[in-house]
Amino acid sequence: MDKFVITGGKPLNGRIAISGAKNASLAIMPATFLAPGAFHLTNTPNLRDVWTLSRLMGAMGAHCELNDNDLFVDTANITSFEAPYEHVKKMRASFHVLGPILARYGEARISLPGGCAWGPRPVDLHLKGMEKLGAEITIENGYVNAKAPNGGLRGARFHFDISSVGATENVMMAAVLAKGTTILTNAALEPEVTALGRMLVKMGAKIEGIGTTTLEIEGVSELKPVNEETIPDRIEAGTFLIAAAMTRGKITIDNINPYHLAAVIAKLEESGCEVDVNGDSITLTMTESPKPTDITTAPYPGFPTDLQAQWMAYMLTAQGTSSITDTIYTDRFKHVPELLRLGADVEMADNTAIIKGGKKLSGATVMSTDLRASASLILAAIVAEGRSEILRVYHLDRGYDAIEKRLNLLGASIRRENTEEF
Ligand code: UD1
């Protein structure tokens, strides 16, 4: 298992290109099950979650080959409609294969993902949506067994009680091959959902309302394989911008869509950063101590929950008190006890963290618990005085492509080491 050894106190300066979006890849890869044949997905991030999904899809008969950032997928010979626990337990987004497999093959057996590091993450909306499309769902031995009616799934109206990225993606993928019209309301608007919708349309799906909360889908009988470029990763971009702001640095990030980052840019500016947007690049300059700036996470276009932990690390460097409220995942604060080990002063009240910034941070050994929590620990260690060790960085490898190398290019001092720790 790898760990990072970080020497703090160095400002980040320079220029880097942002990778393709992990969460977009985890949506568009399963969509390849909807049409037999060869797909070429460019700008695919080369990271562990993509490898995990490739392996699962491979076990189901798809041929997946990732060369740098080019992912070739061939779905001509699907041999299994089952997503086993050994894959789904590694990454809950594996559950996204339910919709496309059920829609195309009329049946699917998918392991239930279970909880995650920061609490329960139900899939009830995914299942209710499939049932609305006529599927019979039973749960047995930890697996969801889904069966389409004779003649295939049927279009229906479905309202998402809660805005859910994964459920919207899953039900949308199921509905594109259903007979008749499906109307999805309170659909999630995240750019990754929109990216999936656009790819489905390119494949021949009929979807109105992409980019809005109401999707009207007219089922078609077949779809065709396509080539698709993965959208940039707004969370990786936000992580680098926050890192630069924390170290009073100046960085330019390229290959991003600034509109996807509007809420984050607004908060960075409120905290005192100068942010210049130029086409698909953003330059951030920070010369002062950040102003305490409160955030509340919300579905897109609100402030993303996936940047909440990183924002907390940033606010540790502000002079004064700020608050972070997570309305999406109310328990997503596993980074707090680890940040305390670095000298942070953070108190929790339900799903709100109160951060008393400006306390001296000093290097310590801390533990990664999940992907974004780990990112916040790296950021805090980069500004802490002295040496920190971050254990279990495999969480980071799930969602960031070589983050330590890229932060080092900007001036950080991070060394990856193998450890005996389990
Ligand atoms: C996706 C992202 C994740 C991000 C999250 C919220 C991927 C692979 N992951 O996760 O990085 O943090 O969106 O932006 O794209 N919910 C239910 N029932 C369901 C499904 C969800 O109650 O069936 C609830 C969740 O508990 C949560 C809220 O809906 O409170 C939003 O979750 P959701 O958008 O579904 O997250 P994911 O798709 O799992």
Side-chain angles (χ1 to χ4, degrees):
M1 219 178 278
D2 290 353
K3 67 177 179 187
F4 283 165
V5 179
I6 301 182
T7 307
K10 312 217 162 64
L12 300 189
N13 289 299
R15 183 164 207 142
I16 48 155
I18 295 304
S19 314
K22 169 184 85 80
N23 287 350
S25 286
L26 300 182
I28 66 178
M29 287 170 67
T32 63
F33 278 129
L34 287 164
F39 291 77
H40 180 188
L41 306 178
T42 53
N43 200 33
T44 301
N46 204 330
L47 39 81
R48 192 178 290 268
D49 273 4
V50 167
W51 309 338
T52 301
L53 185 54
S54 296
R55 269 198 284 274
L56 165 64
M57 291 173 61
M60 299 171 81
H63 180 76
C64 298
E65 201 177 311
L66 183 60
N67 296 331
D68 296 327
N69 300 107
D70 283 314
L71 178 63
F72 298 91
V73 183
D74 194 328
T75 51
N77 295 305
I78 299 309
T79 48
S80 161
F81 310 145
E82 177 171 325
Y85 181 59
E86 61 177 290
H87 294 284
V88 181
K89 76 172 183 209
K90 288 194 189 121
M91 189 191 63
R92 41 181 306 113
S94 307
F95 203 72
H96 291 166
V97 303
L98 170 63
I101 289 288
L102 175 64
R104 179 148 165 73
Y105 297 100
E107 59 181 298
R109 185 167 188 267
I110 314 291
S111 170
L112 276 169
C116 81
W118 71 79
R121 287 177 74 182
V123 287
D124 56 314
L125 293 172
H126 301 238
L127 301 183
K128 281 183 192 153
M130 301 303 160
E131 281 178 331
K132 265 290 197 159
L133 297 176
E136 191 188 301
I137 304 279
T138 51
I139 295 178
E140 218 177 356
N141 306 121
Y143 278 75
V144 172
N145 296 309
K147 204 162 173 22
N150 286 338
L153 296 174
R154 299 182 297 255
R157 287 179 171 274
F158 183 65
H159 180 78
F160 294 94
D161 274 348
I162 300 174
S163 176
S164 162
V165 171
T168 303
E169 292 167 347
N170 227 338
V171 180
M172 179 164 55
M173 286 191 278
V176 288
L177 286 181
K179 288 202 170 54
T181 308
T182 297
I183 295 178
L184 303 178
T185 46
N186 197 28
L189 292 175
E190 271 68 5
E192 297 75 21
V193 179
T194 303
L196 170 64
R198 295 219 171 95
M199 168 160 153
L200 293 171
V201 167
K202 206 164 161 187
M203 289 168 67
K206 292 193 175 144
I207 309 175
E208 295 289 335
I210 292 174
T212 76
T213 54
T214 301
L215 298 172
E216 190 172 329
I217 302 168
E218 192 62 47
V220 295
S221 55
E222 58 177 20
L223 297 167
K224 60 175 190 309
V226 292
N227 300 336
E228 186 71 352
E229 181 175 341
T230 309
I231 60 167
D233 197 316
R234 63 197 167 100
I235 305 302
E236 187 193 62
T239 303
F240 279 107
L241 290 176
I242 292 170
M246 285 178 74
T247 64
R248 320 277 189 273
K250 176 175 181 177
I251 65 163
T252 298
I253 54 171
D254 296 316
N255 183 33
I256 45 100
N257 182 332
Y259 295 108
H260 294 169
L261 282 156
V264 179
I265 291 173
K267 283 293 171 183
L268 285 165
E269 286 177 330
E270 193 180 323
S271 71
C273 299
E274 190 187 316
V275 181
D276 290 317
V277 176
N278 187 2
D280 67 355
S281 299
I282 296 177
T283 299
L284 177 141
T285 314
M286 184 56 157
T287 51
E288 57 190 64
S289 176
K291 299 183 187 70
T293 307
D294 302 342
I295 59 155
T296 298
T297 68
Y300 188 82
F303 194 97
T305 173
D306 285 350
L307 283 172
Q308 174 258 101
Q310 298 89 316
W311 193 265
M312 186 179 292
Y314 179 34
M315 284 300 111
L316 298 178
T317 69
Q319 294 297 330
T321 302
S322 59
S323 72
I324 295 179
T325 302
D326 199 326
T327 66
I328 312 280
Y329 293 116
T330 50
D331 294 332
R332 193 180 201 178
F333 289 99
K334 293 287 176 275
H335 42 289
V336 172
E338 300 301 312
L339 289 172
L340 297 185
R341 292 183 49 72
L342 292 165
D345 184 346
V346 181
E347 275 174 28
M348 291 303 306
D350 298 325
N351 59 333
T352 297
I354 307 294
I355 302 128
K356 295 199 178 104
K359 303 279 167 7
K360 184 176 154 234
L361 300 178
S362 56
T365 301
V366 291
M367 182 93 78
S368 293
T369 50
D370 63 76
L371 171 57
R372 306 305 171 184
S374 316
S376 85
L377 297 179
I378 293 206
L379 301 194
I382 283 177
V383 293
E385 206 175 283
R387 183 181 192 271
S388 293
E389 291 197 357
I390 302 190
L391 307 180
R392 304 192 180 176
V393 295
Y394 62 83
H395 291 292
L396 271 158
D397 295 335
R398 287 188 49 189
Y400 291 92
D401 183 357
I403 191 168
E404 79 280 21
K405 290 187 190 142
R406 296 163 76 213
L407 285 168
N408 284 345
L409 280 176
L410 295 171
S413 169
I414 308 176
R415 204 172 62 243
R416 183 183 284 262
E417 282 183 10
N418 196 259
T419 126
E420 294 302 307
E421 186 257 343
F422 286 102

